[in-house]
Amino acid sequence: SNDMSSNELRRAFVGFFESRAHVVVPSAGLIPHHPTAPMFTNSGMMPFVPYFLGEEPAPYKRATSVQRCVRAGGKHNDLDAIGRSPRHLSFFEMLGNFSFGDYFQAEAIPWAWELLTNDAASGGLGLDGDRLWVTCHVSDDDAESIWVDSVGFPRDRIQRLDKDNFWEMGDVGPCGPSSEIFWDYGPDVGPGGGPANPESEHRYVEIWNLVFQRYLRAEDGSLTGLPTPNVDTGAGLERIGAVLAGTASVYEAGDLARLVESAQSVTGHRLGESELGDIALRLIADHTRTMTFLVADGVLPANDDRGYVLRRIIRRAVRFAYLIGVTKAVLPTMVEQCIDLMAPAYPVLNSARDLVLGVIEREEERFGHTLAAGSQLLDSALDEVTDGERMSGSVAFTLHDTYGFPLEVTQEFAELRGIEVDLNAFNAEMTQQRERARAAGKAKGTGSDDVGRYAELLVEHGPTDFVGRDHNEATATVLAVIGDAVVLDRTPFYAESGGQVGDTGTIETPTGRAKVIDTRFGVTGIHRHVIADLVGEILVGQTATASIDVERRLAIRRNHTATHVLHWALRVVLGEHVKQQGSLVGPDRLRFDFSHFDALSDDQIRIIEDLANHEILDNASVRHFETTKAEAVELGAIAFFGDKYGDIVRVLEAGRHSVELCGGTHVRALGDIGPIKIVSESSIGSNVRRLEAVTGFGPIARLRAEESKLADAAAAIGVPVDDLLDGIRKRLADLSELRDEVVSLRRQVASVAAGDLASEAVDGVVVARVEAESRDEVRDLALSLRSQPGIRAVVLGASPGGKGVALVAAVAPDSGLDAGDLISEAVKMVGGGGGKGADLATAGGKDPGQLDAALEYVRAKISPSSAAAASTE
């Protein structure tokens, strides 16, 4: 075996293609930005999709990259297999070479063979060619003959397959045949018969897939030739590393092997001690890479979308450590090790080290507490399951809802004890919860069937020409009307993206006029003008006048540039770890979400506001210009969260300090923003804070509203506004004096009333309905009555202020009676509850109409005869 480090393998692969005129393209982040993209970057070709689709011209003819990928959600969800199978990973690296209309099969196939089989001296990996197998598509005679004639590969180790060797990007779009290269691990691992034999998937393992994109699939399924055929290849770094190390397990080579070693030392478990232990060690090693890179690429733990996948990954790692008896924190050490190993290849890890460690450490610590509690609940629920029964679905839901155990985790641990979870009950509770959530939120986005129509418009007409940076109105041609949306060839309307809301306004043609109530992308590049209040009709091919609501746009621009100034001020005051996590820029306010682990103090908010307003009042000019990505990085531009960046980017220089990539619309000088006022600061998830602020006329409107509130308050108290505080303090003092006076008067009244009522006692017992303003008054009266000579029990009822019922029972300590017992039935009669206490019991009820009947019932219960009977027993 020729065990290469992962770094050496990356260098060898990229070096081979670099020497064949390929541009080395650094790995893109794990958050993809194309509208067709899945949740995470999951293949080496994903960053190049706009070039393959012809949406953007490729900036180079041929490229090579090592791309970080995550498959941990959606249709490529193999989480269950991780740690159990020798090959499944949630994070992996894809080595690739790409051609955009430059070379094709005749070059790609021999290069793959040379790279795999040449010795190190001639830039290859030195694999034994006799242990390689190849598959080609049934239709692809070209590929097979290149393998046989150019490479000299034996025809009897080439197999022709159908579906497995035809690659498609999606239901529509580029596609084509592929040729896959397999390594034969030998007869010990499985039966022969080559990759075509489904029984021998562990013996023949795919290490490289060469895709030849030559067709375009249309909506109706038909294929046409692509104007320029492309090559897109993907080789698994971990799989090739394992082959080089002479092992069938990706966990025994390269970076992963080092991480499994770290997992052994941090958990105190060794490989080979138990099956569960081995699964846990491998899973912790795999999940460490996934969580480290996701956080470094701007994902934070949350309860939805990408943040939820990250949270699950972190929690599964902790859960598996816990399962093998490790309760101390394991992740910080693992993450440190991962960063040390992989930062040479991925420098982003170095710059994000503190953020990554902080976020993961806190998430592990928080989950540790719930884990201890949840595990007890789970264990006792599993102990109660009798043979052949299923575990309660509602317990599974509680674990999911209260303890943050994903269903899969609960199932995994039930499965370890051979128990199934009752999914119907679990799903029923989930559905109810979703209904609640749906009622709280609202639907957005286009119907998926429409996406194909927008994609066709993009292919046919190219992207919508956005002229809104310089024009508020434009003359355009109507290209399509899809549902309630109009597509134009050019437009002044900004489509929602990068947190900035879409423009509104009007579209008018010779035969019709409509309001535009929102503008969004149908697919990236095609503006969708959502219309309402259509008068007449708008027809395809017509000339249209498109005008935006200028006042609204100006307000949006002020708020948008303000987010950049705020971002700068936040980083100055709180530290460089502050990263934008999303924003919403509307006409009336701006919302800015950022990573930070603590609530902001009032002082910090004041300092941030002052900094931002100073910057605005300096009135430095704002520059918004296009440049190359490299140039932007040179300028120190910060990439904003969630935007899509091609090689040509828009840089916003907002004054002297803030340089960021941003595609939105902005003011021309900082002073145009007007005053900025932060109106709220809150938490929206672990380690994510949200600021809301207003600019321009917003603070003035707020000021007016506050002033009129103050004036109303002053008028109500009857003092000038300047004396409001003194006026309120004086009123409060008066109030408190009056309250004391009322209390003492009430006591006097109660003792007089008590004398009157006592004279009506029967056998030392008073049962009466009284008038009172509060429950306390009834209680005072009862206590004062009980202290009268000869009284052994008192039950009083009232309807204080005419609302509800107050019942009080008080008995003398030597009476032998129980106050709570006296009124227990009466309380139920007036629709109430409570009323425990031996000497004094107070209770409330809802139904005054039943009060007299209830008191009558108490009278009968303690009438002299029953009292006499009680005393003789």
Side-chain angles (χ1 to χ4, degrees):
S1 87
N2 130 35
D3 189 6
M4 268 184 162
S5 77
S6 298
N7 275 326
E8 288 165 340
L9 179 48
R10 291 183 196 104
R11 276 199 299 273
F13 185 94
V14 167
F16 179 89
F17 285 102
E18 194 175 15
S19 70
R20 285 156 182 79
H22 287 62
V23 174
V24 180
V25 177
S27 170
L30 289 170
I31 300 180
H33 300 303
H34 198 270
T36 61
M39 189 178 272
F40 299 114
T41 303
N42 67 9
S43 64
M45 59 80 69
M46 190 149 290
F48 304 111
V49 165
Y51 311 145
F52 287 134
L53 286 177
E55 294 173 352
E56 292 174 24
Y60 24 69
K61 286 280 189 210
R62 30 179 96 173
T64 180
S65 68
V66 181
Q67 174 61 46
R68 52 185 181 272
C69 301
V70 162
R71 286 191 185 171
K75 73 170 186 185
H76 295 298
N77 192 353
D78 299 322
L79 281 183
D80 298 341
I82 290 166
R84 299 169 197 268
S85 117
R87 283 194 305 283
H88 276 97
L89 300 169
S90 63
F91 173 96
F92 57 97
E93 294 173 82
M94 201 53 107
L95 305 160
N97 59 294
F98 306 90
S99 157
F100 307 102
D102 181 8
Y103 61 82
F104 206 52
Q105 294 171 310
E107 295 79 6
I109 291 172
W111 281 339
W113 171 255
E114 286 166 35
L115 174 53
L116 291 174
T117 58
N118 283 359
D119 58 18
S122 41
L125 300 175
L127 293 183
D128 175 358
D130 292 343
R131 293 182 64 176
L132 295 175
W133 283 68
V134 164
T135 60
C136 298
H137 190 246
V138 284
S139 70
D140 196 356
D141 295 340
D142 294 356
E144 181 175 13
S145 58
I146 294 168
W147 276 109
V148 174
D149 302 337
S150 304
V151 171
F153 196 81
R155 205 180 280 271
D156 59 6
R157 289 211 310 278
I158 300 177
Q159 294 181 322
R160 303 283 288 264
L161 302 176
D162 192 357
K163 273 201 176 45
D164 286 349
N165 283 83
F166 196 83
W167 179 91
E168 307 200 51
M169 196 167 110
D171 300 336
V172 290
C175 53
S178 71
S179 179
E180 297 186 319
I181 305 172
F182 292 77
W183 176 257
D184 177 1
Y185 273 106
D188 305 348
V189 183
N197 179 5
E199 301 298 298
S200 52
E201 59 165 342
H202 295 300
R203 172 170 174 176
Y204 303 98
V205 172
E206 178 206 334
I207 55 174
W208 200 347
N209 183 9
L210 315 176
V211 174
F212 310 117
Q213 298 183 12
R214 48 167 32 143
Y215 307 112
L216 190 60
R217 192 177 288 286
E219 285 280 280
D220 62 5
S222 62
L223 294 178
T224 48
L226 273 178
T228 55
N230 304 311
V231 173
D232 144 29
T233 83
L237 175 109
E238 293 81 2
R239 291 183 176 199
I240 292 180
V243 168
L244 291 168
T247 166
S249 165
V250 294
Y251 292 98
E252 291 172 11
D255 293 339
L256 271 172
R258 307 287 99 71
L259 287 171
V260 170
E261 278 165 29
S262 301
Q264 293 188 92
S265 65
V266 71
T267 60
H269 281 258
R270 315 290 318 152
L271 280 172
E273 285 174 359
S274 72
E275 188 191 1
L276 182 61
D278 290 0
I279 291 171
L281 291 168
R282 292 191 289 258
L283 180 137
I284 291 168
D286 166 79
H287 282 19
T288 295
R289 299 206 300 177
T290 310
M291 66 181 79
T292 301
F293 277 93
L294 283 175
V295 177
D297 280 342
V299 181
L300 287 174
N303 284 329
D304 55 3
D305 206 43
R306 300 187 178 97
Y308 178 63
V309 177
L310 168 62
R311 177 161 277 166
R312 269 184 57 200
I313 292 281
I314 296 174
R315 290 180 169 185
R316 285 181 93 234
V318 177
R319 184 76 173 107
F320 269 86
Y322 196 87
L323 256 190
I324 56 174
V326 183
T327 49
K328 65 179 192 346
V330 293
L331 297 181
T333 315
M334 292 297 301
V335 169
E336 284 272 17
Q337 174 72 2
C338 173
I339 293 175
D340 292 344
L341 273 174
M342 299 184 72
Y346 297 100
V348 62
L349 293 181
N350 265 334
S351 46
R353 181 184 291 259
D354 294 346
L355 173 75
V356 173
L357 273 166
V359 166
I360 290 173
E361 205 168 325
R362 273 191 298 277
E363 186 74 11
E364 176 171 27
E365 186 186 338
R366 278 170 73 177
F367 187 49
H369 303 311
T370 38
L371 192 56
S375 296
Q376 287 173 338
L377 174 62
L378 179 54
D379 289 340
S380 59
L382 290 172
D383 290 342
E384 282 167 20
V385 177
T386 49
D387 278 352
E389 291 290 307
R390 290 181 304 186
M391 181 187 132
S392 146
S394 67
V395 172
F397 179 75
T398 305
L399 283 167
H400 154 84
D401 206 41
T402 312
Y403 297 95
F405 281 32
L407 173 65
E408 307 80 283
V409 172
T410 302
Q411 282 175 308
E412 266 168 15
F413 300 105
E415 203 177 290
L416 290 168
R417 290 167 59 164
I419 296 171
E420 276 184 39
V421 176
D422 177 357
L423 287 183
N424 291 343
F426 176 85
N427 289 330
E429 299 216 19
M430 274 304 276
T431 307
Q432 277 179 325
Q433 195 191 41
R434 278 205 196 91
E435 292 301 328
R436 289 196 295 274
R438 187 170 298 124
K442 61 181 196 302
K444 63 173 198 293
T446 53
S448 54
D449 10 343
D450 292 341
V451 173
R453 303 227 8 226
Y454 290 111
E456 282 168 19
L457 286 168
L458 184 65
V459 173
E460 199 178 330
H461 299 281
T464 312
D465 181 12
F466 173 59
V467 298
R469 290 184 205 291
D470 313 304
H471 302 286
N472 296 328
E473 189 172 290
T475 305
T477 306
V478 178
L479 297 181
V481 179
I482 300 172
D484 60 352
V486 172
V487 179
L488 304 172
D489 61 343
R490 58 201 296 268
T491 184
F493 286 81
Y494 182 83
E496 174 166 334
S497 64
Q500 177 172 328
V501 297
D503 277 327
T504 62
T506 56
I507 290 178
E508 198 169 350
T509 73
T511 58
R513 174 187 167 89
K515 273 191 191 148
V516 175
I517 53 171
D518 193 8
T519 312
R520 292 172 173 269
F521 284 115
V523 296
T524 296
I526 294 285
H527 285 52
R528 213 174 131 249
H529 304 83
V530 183
I531 59 168
D533 302 344
L534 172 61
V535 180
E537 47 184 355
I538 291 179
L539 304 170
V540 175
Q542 287 186 315
T543 298
T545 304
S547 327
I548 63 169
D549 175 338
V550 178
E551 280 305 310
R552 182 174 177 276
R553 161 76 79 77
L554 288 173
I556 292 169
R557 280 184 7 188
R558 287 193 282 268
N559 282 336
H560 201 155
T561 312
T563 58
H564 289 254
V565 178
L566 261 181
H567 193 191
W568 162 75
L570 284 164
R571 288 169 67 98
V572 172
V573 176
L574 304 178
E576 292 292 302
H577 64 276
V578 169
K579 277 208 179 83
Q580 181 179 350
Q581 294 301 325
S583 68
L584 183 67
V585 182
D588 51 343
R589 63 178 38 211
L590 65 93
R591 199 173 79 197
F592 189 81
D593 303 341
F594 57 97
S595 45
H596 186 57
F597 32 81
D598 264 331
L600 271 50
S601 67
D602 291 346
D603 277 353
Q604 284 175 322
I605 289 180
R606 256 195 299 276
I607 295 167
I608 290 161
E609 278 180 346
D610 288 350
L611 255 181
N613 281 309
H614 268 293
E615 189 72 357
I616 288 166
L617 289 173
D618 275 353
N619 200 21
S621 63
V622 172
R623 244 173 34 118
H624 202 191
F625 57 94
E626 287 196 337
T627 180
T628 62
K629 196 186 257 170
E631 180 70 22
V633 170
E634 198 87 342
L635 287 167
I638 308 174
F640 248 119
F641 181 84
D643 263 343
K644 168 180 174 296
Y645 303 118
D647 266 12
I648 297 295
V649 293
R650 291 197 76 87
V651 173
L652 179 79
E653 281 180 1
R656 290 194 296 282
H657 297 109
S658 165
V659 184
E660 307 190 68
L661 301 190
C662 185
T665 61
H666 291 278
V667 299
R668 295 202 162 53
L670 289 185
D672 299 352
I673 294 172
I676 185 168
K677 176 84 188 81
I678 294 171
V679 296
S680 75
E681 189 271 347
S682 59
S683 158
I684 55 160
S686 57
N687 316 316
V688 187
R689 311 293 307 175
R690 168 167 292 173
L691 280 188
E692 299 210 346
V694 289
T695 66
F697 294 102
I700 297 166
R702 276 183 76 82
L703 203 56
R704 282 189 190 133
E706 304 284 323
E707 280 178 344
S708 85
K709 253 188 231 154
L710 282 175
D712 291 350
I717 283 193
V719 296
V721 170
D722 290 348
D723 302 339
L724 182 58
L725 207 53
D726 287 340
I728 288 175
R729 286 195 181 113
K730 187 171 175 318
R731 283 301 157 95
L732 289 173
D734 292 350
L735 203 58
S736 134
E737 258 175 53
L738 289 168
R739 280 219 180 94
D740 295 345
E741 201 174 314
V742 169
V743 169
S744 81
L745 287 169
R746 279 220 328 254
R747 290 221 173 93
Q748 288 170 35
V749 171
S751 65
V752 174
D756 294 350
L757 282 166
S759 63
E760 295 170 20
V762 178
D763 196 17
V765 175
V766 176
V767 179
R769 178 170 185 155
V770 295
E771 289 303 318
E773 280 305 308
S774 71
R775 183 183 298 192
D776 284 350
E777 223 173 292
V778 186
R779 188 169 163 272
D780 287 349
L781 184 55
L783 289 172
S784 155
L785 251 171
R786 185 179 67 177
S787 60
Q788 304 275 337
I791 297 293
R792 48 191 203 103
V794 180
V795 177
L796 299 182
S799 178
K803 291 192 185 73
V805 175
L807 272 176
V808 179
V811 300
D814 53 2
S815 65
L817 295 169
D818 178 297
D821 192 38
L822 286 185
I823 57 170
S824 60
E825 285 305 315
V827 172
K828 290 179 194 155
M829 290 169 70
V830 293
K836 300 254 186 299
D839 294 346
L840 175 70
T842 61
K846 291 193 278 290
D847 186 358
Q850 291 299 310
L851 180 54
D852 292 332
L855 290 169
E856 200 47 55
Y857 176 86
V858 175
R859 255 189 218 103
K861 184 172 175 174
I862 47 176
S863 65
S865 56
S866 63
S871 63
T872 57
E873 269 170 26

